Amino acid sequence: MRIGLLTEGGYPYAAGESGLWCDRLVRGLAPHEFDLYALSRDARQEADGLLPLPPNVRSVRTAPLWTAEDDGRNRGRGHGRGPARGYGRRERRLFEEAFRDLAEGVCADDALRAEHDQEIPERFAAGLYGLAELARAHGGPAVALRSEAAVRILESACRAPGARRSVAAATVPDQLAFTEQLERALRPLSLGWYGEEEGPDGTGGLGLVDLCHAASAGAAALPGLLAKRFFGTPLLVTEYGVQLRAHYLAAAGASLATPVRALLAAFHGRLAGEVYRQAALLTPGNAHARRWQERCGADRARLRTVHPGMDAERFAEVGEDEESGDPATLSWIGRVEPAKDLVALLHAFAEVRRQQPDARLRIIAAPVREPGAAAYLAHCRGLAEQLFPDEAAGAHAVGENPVSFEELGGPEAPTLEEAYAASAVVVLSSVVEGFPVGLVEAMFCARATVSTDVGAVVEVIGGTGLVVPPRNPKALADACLALLRDPERRHRLGAAARARALELFTVEQNLAAFRGIYLELLSHSPVRRRTTSGVPFAHPAEAHVPGSWADQPVTAAAGAGEPDA
């Protein structure tokens, strides 16, 4: 089987968890061939280069979303259609019709749909596919989006009856700022990825793949939408972190005017809704992502939870030694950012120290790379110095702070395994969290955990750790003290956590689920080409059976895995 793997800002660039699961998928499903289609987000990713790729990767095609359309980065690599150019009279008319549908779909308020008798999502989809057809035949809409006609159409949509109140006040500068952002979001429409012929270098277009697998529902899934539109290729969408939620959070912190943020949020919401409607199957990584998808219009019959697969072997030695770790040590391990709420953790530890003076807290941070992370870490260090002055055992002893700030990979915590092994209890104090990777790692290490009730925490823990409300230092302190004072309970919870993690969150269960899903989806999609791989039975026999049965939707009742209740 030939898979088109679609990513944005991740594999094959990222070495973090967002890229690792794709790498494990490609390597673990080696009998299948993969074509990688990657959208990069910034210059740093491009400069760092690609990860080493396994031999079953046939080709890699990349394109940046962060550059100007006509700066030449896409040209010369076979990824784009040349410099941005203006349209002729006929093409301008087609552009205006398509852009009007898209703009009205973005600006319209769903609450007023019945009053004005408009099918808003369908109108947005018609505009999106109209622009895609135009870009495929005549080049991308970059120049047209900056035209006076585009601004007039957008202005009319913002002020039309039934438009969102938040966009009605958009000025011409706001509309120009939105179209600039929109051009970047729609850039996949202009890429030369939609061919049906094999290139001389072995690269081919999405018309040659049997299945498109998108690693998110944002820009990464847009090429998959077009492949389904142009070639009928089935689309599978996996989300371990909800891309729409990430866009909302990023827009809230961006230096953009309120109408621009509202327009961008509306566009990404409409795009996510169209992806969810067109996907043959959606595989959220947890119930938290699943709820987001359902609220955006996803059909529950096409939702199937597939938990992320993580490497359990590296933690095996620690997990089998339940007695390891200082019985008075709490540890926080992760990436430093305000959403982790280390301030609440420090205040909670102040209460722990009042009741158990020998307790210690280790804050082990991943190397700082995100903007603003260093300032937040410095703020937390200052707070710790105020809350916990250096203490000494006697008049001639050197004072020591009960809170230590360490860097992962440094002399105090050279590896993740050693960081977890030195702890009695692992704490997660976040106010915002998607899938808590660090929590699963602690479970593999048979550590007892105290966590805040955010994101997918309760689903992951499943009764094998203590969960408290976020932004509640008193509750966090009480839970930590309960485990520090009861070693037997701590060991019992740690053993149960390890057993749960080995059952649900290993690479093996993840690969088994996707192996079954790939075969199931392909069995509902007749083969459009003869296989040249030379591998017997590369396609399931059902794929060769003609008839309307192939148009039937895939339901979650069949194949690998069962849906959540």
Side-chain angles (χ1 to χ4, degrees):
M1 189 186 305
R2 188 168 178 177
I3 312 297
L5 186 59
L6 315 173
T7 68
E8 178 194 1
Y11 188 72
Y13 291 111
E17 194 61 35
S18 62
L20 282 178
W21 82 264
C22 289
D23 189 57
R24 292 166 183 156
L25 178 75
V26 172
R27 293 178 185 277
L29 299 182
H32 300 305
E33 297 174 323
F34 286 83
D35 293 313
L36 305 184
Y37 296 84
L39 301 170
S40 64
R41 289 180 181 167
D42 54 45
R44 188 179 69 189
Q45 280 190 332
E46 296 262 349
D48 289 346
L50 306 181
L51 296 174
L53 299 174
N56 60 320
V57 173
R58 290 177 59 101
S59 65
V60 180
R61 307 185 78 173
T62 64
L65 293 181
W66 49 276
T67 61
E69 169 70 12
D70 55 357
D71 75 343
R73 286 182 180 266
N74 284 336
R75 303 194 297 278
R77 295 189 292 177
H79 301 151
R81 292 190 174 274
R85 61 184 185 275
Y87 292 142
R89 180 180 300 176
R90 178 177 176 274
E91 289 77 28
R92 286 199 301 270
R93 178 176 58 80
L94 293 174
F95 166 79
E96 290 173 10
E97 291 175 357
F99 186 64
R100 183 174 291 106
D101 285 339
L102 184 136
E104 291 179 359
V106 167
C107 295
D109 191 335
D110 284 331
L112 302 174
R113 182 194 308 180
E115 179 181 341
H116 293 276
D117 193 26
Q118 293 177 327
E119 292 296 332
I120 300 172
E122 289 76 6
R123 189 111 188 229
F124 172 85
L128 180 67
Y129 296 129
L131 291 176
E133 296 280 3
L134 188 62
R136 189 184 186 199
H138 304 286
V143 173
L145 284 170
R146 294 192 287 267
S147 67
E148 182 180 350
V151 174
R152 284 201 309 268
I153 291 171
L154 184 57
E155 183 179 26
S156 175
C158 289
R159 287 162 174 71
R164 304 170 190 265
R165 294 180 181 179
S166 54
V167 306
T171 62
V172 171
D174 295 334
Q175 292 153 7
L176 289 172
F178 170 66
T179 56
E180 180 183 355
Q181 297 290 327
L182 183 64
E183 184 276 316
R184 296 175 187 272
L186 294 179
R187 192 166 297 175
L189 304 184
S190 311
L191 300 174
W193 291 356
Y194 309 107
E196 294 184 273
E197 297 181 358
E198 197 85 49
D201 58 351
T203 63
L206 287 168
L208 294 175
V209 304
D210 300 307
L211 170 69
C212 286
H213 186 175
S216 68
L222 193 47
L225 278 182
L226 302 190
K228 179 178 182 181
R229 178 81 173 184
F230 298 151
F231 316 116
T233 308
L235 173 62
L236 169 66
V237 178
T238 296
E239 285 196 296
Y240 290 138
V242 182
Q243 191 70 14
L244 179 59
R245 172 177 171 270
H247 280 301
Y248 287 164
L249 294 175
S255 57
L256 298 171
T258 299
V260 180
R261 292 201 300 269
L263 286 166
L264 286 172
F267 169 78
H268 287 297
R270 296 282 185 229
L271 179 59
E274 179 63 13
V275 170
Y276 295 155
R277 278 187 292 275
Q278 296 299 328
L281 200 65
L282 297 164
T283 53
N286 52 73
H288 176 65
R290 183 182 180 123
R291 287 192 294 270
W292 271 87
Q293 292 174 341
E294 289 180 357
R295 289 196 60 180
C296 292
D299 182 1
R300 295 189 68 181
R302 290 184 287 114
L303 287 170
R304 188 177 306 170
T305 300
V306 178
H307 294 296
M310 298 175 59
D311 183 11
E313 188 61 32
R314 63 183 298 192
F315 302 108
E317 185 177 350
V318 178
E320 292 168 3
D321 184 7
E322 297 180 0
E323 302 298 327
S324 64
D326 184 343
T329 297
L330 304 172
S331 288
W332 179 95
I333 303 169
R335 188 179 64 252
V336 173
E337 59 184 4
K340 303 302 182 183
D341 203 7
L342 294 182
V343 172
L345 175 60
L346 290 170
H347 283 288
F349 185 64
E351 178 64 24
V352 171
R353 284 281 294 182
R354 276 192 287 271
Q355 300 191 42
Q356 186 164 333
D358 65 335
R360 299 185 58 80
L361 172 63
R362 299 179 70 196
I363 295 178
I364 303 172
V368 173
R369 297 188 68 176
E370 290 77 10
Y376 183 70
L377 181 58
H379 170 71
C380 294
R381 288 179 181 272
L383 178 62
E385 291 173 358
Q386 293 177 6
L387 292 174
F388 311 102
D390 290 352
E391 300 174 357
H396 302 289
V398 177
E400 186 178 4
N401 197 301
V403 178
S404 62
F405 289 83
E406 306 163 23
E407 184 175 52
L408 189 61
E412 300 91 351
T415 65
L416 265 177
E417 303 91 287
E418 291 177 297
Y420 287 114
S423 313
V425 178
V426 175
V427 185
L428 183 144
S429 55
S430 302
V431 294
V432 176
E433 193 75 46
F435 184 84
V437 172
L439 209 55
V440 177
E441 292 171 344
M443 294 168 70
F444 281 135
C445 293
R447 302 296 104 169
T449 59
V450 176
S451 314
T452 48
D453 187 3
V454 293
V457 165
V458 171
E459 179 184 4
V460 168
I461 288 296
T464 65
L466 304 187
V467 180
V468 301
R471 296 191 180 94
N472 192 331
K474 180 65 167 61
L476 193 63
D478 290 344
C480 291
L481 285 167
L483 292 182
L484 289 175
R485 292 168 173 171
D486 192 342
E488 183 178 343
R489 184 186 186 190
R490 208 165 58 228
H491 295 152
R492 187 169 64 249
L493 287 174
R498 175 170 166 77
R500 178 176 176 81
L502 290 174
E503 178 183 0
L504 297 178
F505 306 120
T506 61
V507 175
E508 291 74 20
Q509 65 82 25
N510 182 268
L511 293 177
F514 280 118
R515 185 179 293 111
I517 287 170
Y518 281 2
L519 293 174
E520 178 186 343
L521 289 178
L522 191 60
S523 72
H524 287 75
S525 179
V527 174
R528 302 180 305 281
R529 62 181 178 85
R530 297 184 66 86
T531 178
T532 58
S533 65
V535 179
F537 309 109
H539 298 91
E542 294 88 346
H544 298 273
V545 179
S548 60
W549 66 272
D551 298 326
Q552 299 300 315
V554 177
T555 65
E562 292 296 332
D564 292 341

